[in-house]
Amino acid sequence: MAVEELQSIIKRCQILEEQDFKEEDFGLFQLAGQRCIDEGHIEQLLEIIQNEKNKVIVNNMGWNLVGPVVRCLLWNKEDEKRKHYFLMLDLLVKLCNPKELLLGLLELIEEPSGKQISQIILLLLQPLQTVIQKLRNNKAYSVGLALSTLWSQLSLLPVPYSKEQIQTDDYGLCQCCKALIEFTKPFVEEVINDKENSVESENEKLKDELLKFCFKSLKCPLLTAQFFEQSKEAGNDPLRCFASEIIGFLSAIGHPFPKMIFNHGRKKKTWDYLEFEEEEDKQLADSMASLAYLVFVQGISIDQLPMVLSPSYLLQFNMGHIEVFLQRTEESVFSKGVDLLENGLLRIEDNSLLHQYLEIKSFLTVPQGLVKVMTLCPIETLRKKSLAMLQLYINKLDSQGKYTLFRCLLNTSNHSGVEAFIIQNIKNQIDVSLKKTHDNKWFTGPQLISLLDLVLFLPEGAETDLLQNSDRIMASLNLLRYLVIKDNEKDNQTGLWTELGKIENNFLKPLHTGLNMSKAHYEAEIKNSQENSQDVQKSKDLCSVTVGGEEIPNMPPEMQLKVLHSALFTFDLIESVLARVEELIEIKTKSTPEENIGIK
């Protein structure tokens, strides 16, 4: 019945001129054709499509059958039937109007979600490529539309994170990336082989669309993608192969990555005809950061870089890209920033990175970004690596650079542990300065005193939360103890002894008062907790304790007592070091020079 109905429609349309086809004819043809497919009359439908007499009708209306054929291919697993469906799809691609087919194929690609996205993309990439190659006009626009649609759908797929996920490729992203490269190659070759150089030529427009696609691919999936170790396995890494091909495309269409990396961020770019909007410019920053990582860390096509570039020059250009990585919240992304920083710093000798570089914004925002990773990242290995990179960065700076960075981080970190880390580094630099034969003005004398003003004080005086700031306070006391031991009042190389009165008023005396207040408070809380625990011991209820104006979360009484005793232990430790510092100060200020010889 369906076949007869379709033949009747075709017979009526055969006597009409092409321009006389009505919208009703298209609808009836599609319904009858779909019924033929649904009822399994595939061979008869193939005969109708292949009949030369129906050529004009199929050219105008046949594209409506692509959707039903594609859906049958997705759902039907019988090899014999699939063979006929593939043949029908090939015939429709060959015989139908390419403009209508293009739009129809792209609509089909946009329809699915989840795992079906990759299935339909892998099915339609080859037909889509064939259709675009048949187009005579506006090919660049068609290529751009296709690549944009494909990328939009691929960006919905989760990027595999681990080696196992890459190998299983459950959502088919890796397969799609490989197929997308094959889809794009003919258009890249077309750009290469075209001899026209006019800016307005179709070739330039095609180059523009390919460049946009490369930028988008660098952001997704390559910005978040993880790669195998650079070893024999690297050749089997589909995402790494995709990255290598994308970078190859850039060079092939006249945008080799060295030129792009080193022009990004400048006012005059080498791709002026790409008028990026503000949001697209943000995407471009992500893409350029991704490109820098692929080249410098993964070593993809790194041999294209000029060998004359100095390590500090390379670091300067990469710092902006590192900043982009560290601003992201995904571990898979900001970890790349840490890796890219390590790659740049390892090329530089210790103490050789000039302080003038800190006038560039990213040279201060990057270490601040590392601090955020150190303090907020839930992954221990990344926290530790960020700490190691911050130390490496400090090591590379010259003395004035270290001094400037220390001031910056002390003012911005707002984290006791980080401040303790910086204070320990200040101590190390003072030690180096005191051992050198020539003066280092940044960690002795007036400059050091200015820095110590940020270290040897309590932010809120005697009411400072000593428990929360215990790391910072202990580091400050240890630094002060070191200064008292190493610098005699007579020499006063550090300027400590001139400022001793201010240090006592701003730091030591408020610390004494704060310790007395904190210990009294916690001892009272321990007493209350012990009394409460006796009252609830039989019922095994939870109890709460208020410390410093904040309530400790409900926990068993014995656990609360343990927490409170731990706080008291911390106060005792601080008090012990404070007493030792004051004892050393008293000895140094009252003893003779001969007596100072035995103090180490």
Side-chain angles (χ1 to χ4, degrees):
M1 181 68 181
V3 176
E4 287 80 5
E5 185 181 340
L6 179 61
Q7 286 175 334
S8 173
I9 295 167
I10 288 175
K11 189 175 181 180
R12 181 163 56 82
C13 291
Q14 280 176 341
I15 62 175
L16 298 174
E17 293 295 329
E18 186 176 343
Q19 61 270 20
D20 294 330
F21 293 156
K22 298 177 181 177
E23 188 175 340
E24 179 186 357
D25 297 325
F26 285 85
L28 291 171
F29 179 89
Q30 181 182 4
L31 287 171
Q34 184 162 350
R35 282 184 62 193
C36 288
I37 294 171
D38 293 341
E39 294 176 13
H41 305 303
I42 307 301
E43 293 183 14
Q44 293 93 323
L45 186 57
L46 281 170
E47 288 178 11
I48 293 172
I49 292 173
Q50 289 174 298
N51 191 327
E52 188 67 22
K53 294 179 182 180
N54 304 327
K55 182 177 179 181
V56 175
I57 297 171
V58 173
N59 178 266
N60 283 275
M61 303 183 187
W63 64 272
N64 282 306
L65 299 179
V66 170
V69 171
V70 167
R71 292 183 188 98
C72 286
L73 279 168
L74 287 174
W75 295 108
N76 200 305
K77 303 303 179 184
E78 295 180 33
D79 291 341
E80 192 61 33
K81 287 187 177 181
R82 287 176 65 83
K83 180 180 176 181
H84 288 107
Y85 292 140
F86 273 119
L87 178 57
M88 188 177 295
L89 181 59
D90 289 342
L91 279 171
L92 292 171
V93 169
K94 180 181 178 181
L95 299 172
C96 295
N97 183 325
K99 184 178 178 182
E100 300 292 348
L101 263 178
L102 173 66
L103 296 176
L105 290 172
L106 293 180
E107 284 179 7
L108 288 170
I109 288 171
E110 286 180 317
E111 281 181 6
S113 59
K115 293 185 179 181
Q116 289 185 1
I117 291 175
S118 60
Q119 293 173 10
I120 202 161
I121 286 177
L122 292 170
L123 179 62
L124 295 184
L125 272 180
Q126 183 59 57
L128 186 61
Q129 184 188 73
T130 303
V131 167
I132 293 174
Q133 288 176 321
K134 288 173 64 179
L135 291 167
R136 295 180 180 178
N137 300 317
N138 295 325
K139 181 182 281 190
Y141 171 79
S142 300
V143 170
L145 184 61
L147 288 173
S148 178
T149 303
L150 289 164
W151 181 85
S152 295
Q153 284 297 93
L154 286 179
S155 66
L156 300 176
L157 296 177
V159 179
Y161 186 79
S162 66
K163 182 178 176 181
E164 291 72 26
Q165 289 176 346
I166 292 172
Q167 290 172 336
T168 55
D169 195 22
D170 286 340
Y171 283 83
L173 177 66
C174 297
Q175 294 178 68
C176 287
C177 287
K178 183 178 180 181
L180 195 53
I181 291 298
E182 296 304 315
F183 171 83
T184 312
K185 276 182 179 178
F187 308 115
V188 174
E189 290 168 3
E190 195 170 321
V191 168
I192 297 170
N193 296 330
D194 196 309
K195 302 301 181 185
E196 293 182 18
N197 292 313
S198 171
V199 175
E200 298 299 324
S201 70
E202 185 70 12
N203 187 50
E204 282 296 329
K205 293 176 183 176
L206 181 55
K207 186 189 296 185
D208 192 344
E209 297 298 341
L210 291 169
L211 185 58
K212 288 179 181 177
F213 165 68
C214 290
F215 282 151
K216 287 181 177 180
S217 298
L218 286 166
K219 179 173 182 180
C220 179
L222 294 176
L223 185 69
T224 56
Q226 300 298 295
F227 303 96
F228 295 169
E229 294 292 329
Q230 292 187 45
S231 62
K232 294 179 181 179
E233 289 186 339
N236 299 321
D237 185 344
L239 293 175
R240 183 183 176 85
C241 291
F242 180 68
S244 182
E245 293 285 357
I246 291 295
I247 292 174
F249 286 168
L250 288 172
S251 296
I253 63 177
H255 292 278
F257 72 83
K259 180 172 70 172
M260 298 181 68
I261 288 177
F262 298 133
N263 278 280
H264 176 59
R266 295 184 180 183
K267 292 181 180 178
K268 184 175 177 62
K269 296 184 174 68
T270 57
W271 51 91
D272 290 329
Y273 61 89
L274 275 176
E275 298 179 358
F276 286 98
E277 300 294 335
E278 184 176 348
E279 178 60 28
E280 287 183 309
D281 199 52
K282 172 64 172 68
Q283 293 180 1
L284 180 61
D286 289 337
S287 300
M288 298 308 299
S290 178
L291 179 60
Y293 171 82
L294 292 169
V295 172
F296 290 101
V297 179
Q298 291 298 321
I300 298 175
S301 300
I302 196 168
D303 55 333
Q304 293 183 30
L305 278 176
M307 298 298 290
V308 296
L309 299 175
S310 70
S312 57
Y313 183 86
L314 292 175
L315 180 65
Q316 178 183 346
F317 279 107
N318 276 331
M319 283 300 262
H321 304 313
I322 295 165
E323 182 181 16
V324 169
F325 280 125
L326 294 179
Q327 286 172 346
R328 298 289 290 260
T329 55
E330 310 97 311
E331 289 91 350
S332 60
V333 179
F334 64 67
S335 64
K336 291 184 177 182
V338 179
D339 290 340
L340 185 56
L341 178 61
E342 180 181 30
N343 180 275
L345 292 176
L346 290 176
R347 303 169 189 264
I348 296 174
E349 294 183 8
D350 286 357
N351 307 307
S352 66
L353 191 60
L354 300 177
H355 61 273
Q356 286 89 345
Y357 281 107
L358 294 178
E359 296 173 8
I360 302 170
K361 179 188 168 204
S362 57
F363 276 78
L364 284 176
T365 55
V366 163
Q368 289 174 317
L370 289 174
V371 167
K372 288 183 179 178
V373 178
M374 288 160 48
T375 55
L376 300 176
C377 178
I379 301 175
E380 184 181 6
T381 53
L382 282 177
R383 293 200 304 271
K384 287 183 176 179
K385 183 160 187 180
S386 297
L387 176 62
M389 287 308 101
L390 181 56
Q391 185 62 64
L392 186 62
Y393 184 57
I394 291 169
N395 295 345
K396 302 303 176 182
L397 289 166
D398 64 16
S399 293
Q400 187 173 346
K402 290 181 174 71
Y403 180 89
T404 303
L405 181 62
F406 293 159
R407 290 191 69 92
C408 171
L409 293 181
L410 284 172
N411 282 316
T412 60
S413 67
N414 296 318
H415 188 279
S416 180
V418 175
E419 291 167 354
F421 169 77
I422 297 302
I423 293 168
Q424 178 60 42
N425 268 276
I426 293 172
K427 175 178 171 291
N428 295 341
Q429 291 307 308
I430 296 171
D431 189 60
V432 171
S433 299
L434 292 177
K435 290 176 180 177
K436 284 183 177 179
T437 53
H438 62 278
D439 290 336
N440 181 353
K441 68 175 185 177
W442 297 103
F443 292 97
T444 56
Q447 298 289 358
L448 175 59
I449 292 302
S450 176
L451 191 58
L452 291 180
D453 286 341
L454 299 176
V455 175
L456 302 177
F457 87 110
L458 294 179
E460 298 173 28
E463 296 184 359
T464 299
D465 187 334
L466 301 188
L467 197 60
Q468 186 175 341
N469 288 274
S470 60
D471 289 341
R472 181 187 190 279
I473 292 169
M474 285 296 293
S476 300
L477 286 171
N478 282 324
L479 171 60
L480 183 56
R481 179 174 60 180
Y482 167 84
L483 292 172
V484 172
I485 292 172
K486 287 293 183 180
D487 192 17
N488 293 317
E489 187 175 5
K490 180 181 178 182
D491 299 330
N492 199 23
Q493 290 177 272
T494 62
L496 166 72
W497 300 101
T498 308
E499 301 295 319
L500 190 57
K502 183 171 72 173
I503 293 169
E504 288 178 339
N505 290 329
N506 293 345
F507 184 53
L508 300 181
K509 289 179 180 178
L511 182 56
H512 260 300
T513 305
L515 282 168
N516 291 335
M517 291 167 57
S518 297
K519 288 178 72 175
H521 178 71
Y522 275 78
E523 285 168 353
E525 289 296 343
I526 287 173
K527 184 178 179 181
N528 289 337
S529 181
Q530 287 172 336
E531 291 174 355
N532 291 337
S533 66
Q534 290 173 2
D535 294 338
V536 300
Q537 191 171 15
K538 293 182 180 179
S539 62
K540 301 293 182 182
D541 288 341
L542 299 178
C543 63
S544 62
V545 173
T546 301
V547 176
E550 295 186 8
E551 189 175 288
I552 297 177
N554 285 339
M555 61 179 71
E558 60 271 16
M559 182 62 71
Q560 286 202 347
L561 279 171
K562 189 175 180 181
V563 170
L564 294 170
H565 279 296
S566 176
L568 272 183
F569 176 78
T570 300
F571 298 144
D572 288 340
L573 192 61
I574 293 173
E575 193 170 45
S576 173
V577 179
L578 174 60
R580 178 59 179 156
V581 168
E582 291 179 327
E583 180 186 354
L584 288 169
I585 290 172
E586 185 178 359
I587 292 172
K588 279 294 189 88
T589 52
K590 292 183 179 180
S591 63
T592 61
E594 288 78 14
E595 291 173 313
N596 288 338
I597 295 174
I599 300 174
K600 297 182 181 179

